[in-house]
Amino acid sequence: MPVPTITDVAKKAGVSLSTASDILNGKLKATPATAARVREAARELGYRPNALARRLRMRKAEAFGLVVPYRRPLFSSALLTDLLAGIQAEQQATGRNLVLAAGRYDQPGEVYGGDLVESRAVDGLIVIGTRESYGRDAGRDVRELRRLSCPVVWLHVYEGQEPVDRVARAGPDAGEEVLRHFAARGYASVGRLTNRINRAPGERPEFEPFRKRLEPLGLVSRPEWQGGGEAFDGAAFHAAMELLRRPAGERPRALLCEGDDLAVAALQAALGLGLRVPQDLALASTNNLSLSQSAAVPLTTAGAPASELGRAAVRRLMELIERPDQAPQTVEVPGGLIVRAST
Amino acid sequence: MPVPTITDVAKKAGVSLSTASDILNGKLKATPATAARVREAARELGYRPNALARRLRMRKAEAFGLVVPYRRPLFSSALLTDLLAGIQAEQQATGRNLVLAAGRYDQPGEVYGGDLVESRAVDGLIVIGTRESYGRDAGRDVRELRRLSCPVVWLHVYEGQEPVDRVARAGPDAGEEVLRHFAARGYASVGRLTNRINRAPGERPEFEPFRKRLEPLGLVSRPEWQGGGEAFDGAAFHAAMELLRRPAGERPRALLCEGDDLAVAALQAALGLGLRVPQDLALASTNNLSLSQSAAVPLTTAGAPASELGRAAVRRLMELIERPDQAPQTVEVPGGLIVRAST
DNA sequence: TTGTATGCGTTATCAA
DNA sequence: TTGATAACGCATACAA
């Protein structure tokens, strides 16, 4: 017998199948001698329950899926890295398995993880994304996944109409907090680095909405002080260079970066141009990633730590798996402004 | 019937269980009318085979595990990020599921993934690590995992005595290539930034072995030009600052960084100190990570791309799962020196 | 307290 | 070509 089953254990211990099962699962009140014999037999045989059989019988996969319908290679962003770290850490505590949803990132219309659910390989799904990665299709994606009638938690993502279980940052908008901080510090002119990826390359983010946010705080900006691009391909760095390569009066006093990885790119650019941070340029960002601590100049950042968002998503999913028929709920993770050397 | 089984499909199509199964699996030669009826019934019912039942019957998990016995939080290093990206990309092609091994990273002695294998949740394992993360326990870990008699591919890791299936870089040592490049460029004095984590904080890497490598190339160094630390917690950055904060004659002309993330940290430090790269300081690293392209100054790097190592590991594992009784083999991934602006 | 019988949803075997 | 039946390994209702 190459790999022992519970039947082998029972046989060796001289008890019946169900007795062995009960004892090994702690379902039996007391059986001093028998229990010891069964446990001993299991140990000697090196018995390990077959997870597949157990799951089939229990009608539970004891696993959850992780969906990353990103439009670029998985794991390439610093935000994802932190989210994953949190999810991984919390998952270890659950004893469940974590299955990565196989899906091509280059097909924006498709929602992944459905096959995982339909084939009963997982009990629930955590969907990672950003508002930007979905754009106007977010509602469709949500409806599609809801059709599965399986627990789904949306992570750091969706702020549309449909009620979904999701994890979000608590409190005021992180960008708002940063701007208020800028105002308090007396940084009157503010630029902005953003990463939304639905924009064409080179296309600037809309200026007017941003200006409207600055107005009540007494801050000013200019259209050419906006820049957009991802950190991973160097676009953010170049956008920052473009933005900062202006004479002292022509560039912003402070830069709001929508994402700590963008702030790191901006920091590199600033240092490369000989600007001192924060004396010549103040920098702050909105994702509260772990890398914000280890930047050349530690970064001021706002919002709940991304890894905590990941943890919260796992916890919420476990709740939903336990008691599936709950009303959709938004779990809020607290987090405020962390002031570091960059401002 | 909330979720239809193949029995439901068979019933609806008016055929037997086994007929339906055979047709849906393409095992039946030809059955023009019946086949159509069965397929139609499956479609109407929205039938999806239960992966758990299938796997139990087939005695195959149709999944593989990914073990990361790192001593710090998973996903926190740029190397891991690239490896994972490659693994993820290739895994999508296999149709198998990718299960992350639940294991605490802070217990160095333990090898993870064993429970995944023993509970038959996966058909094989990819173990990620670095030489450094194992130290002298690598041999024990290998033996422990071999006891499972299940396909295991060691990724980017192990260079010990025991024959194991592993993926490695082809060709000359990447560090060697970088040093030769330094010599060719005429950078006579060379420093070194390393990340091996088995060293106590503040402890310098051994100098003598490094000096011996430099000698035949006509390069020189000094003990105080060595620095060690991880990138993710800022230690590498500070080590680099320490190292570069010396007057022109007292610091190395070029810096070999063992990992592109260390090179980025060094780059930030150099720029922060007002050094021009490569005019004042040349930088090159050894991991060939994707981030080497997007650094403030694009980095010269050597070695096979990390993502390719990940892909190769998955491919090799699939081979081993198909035909398990092969002799251990080292898959070599080609890669050379990529010269960019930093040298 | 322990044993017997049954089913979870498949695929495989073999007879019809 | 099709269908009945037997596993796969486990957990559990129920009988003893």
Side-chain angles (χ1 to χ4, degrees), chain B residues 2 76-77 87 114 118 143-144 155 182 190 193 205 222 227 270 300 319:
Chain B
S76 68
S77 102
I87 290 171
E118 292 185 331
R143 284 188 294 276
E144 191 118 350
L155 180 51
F182 283 168
V190 177
L193 211 54
R222 297 188 196 171
T300 292
E319 279 179 31

Side-chain angles (χ1 to χ4, degrees), chain A residues 117-134:
Chain A
V117 173
E118 290 185 331
S119 66
R120 260 81 55 188
V122 300
D123 301 317
L125 245 34
I126 291 180
V127 185
I128 300 188
T130 70
R131 235 174 313 173
E132 294 79 17
S133 70
Y134 285 97

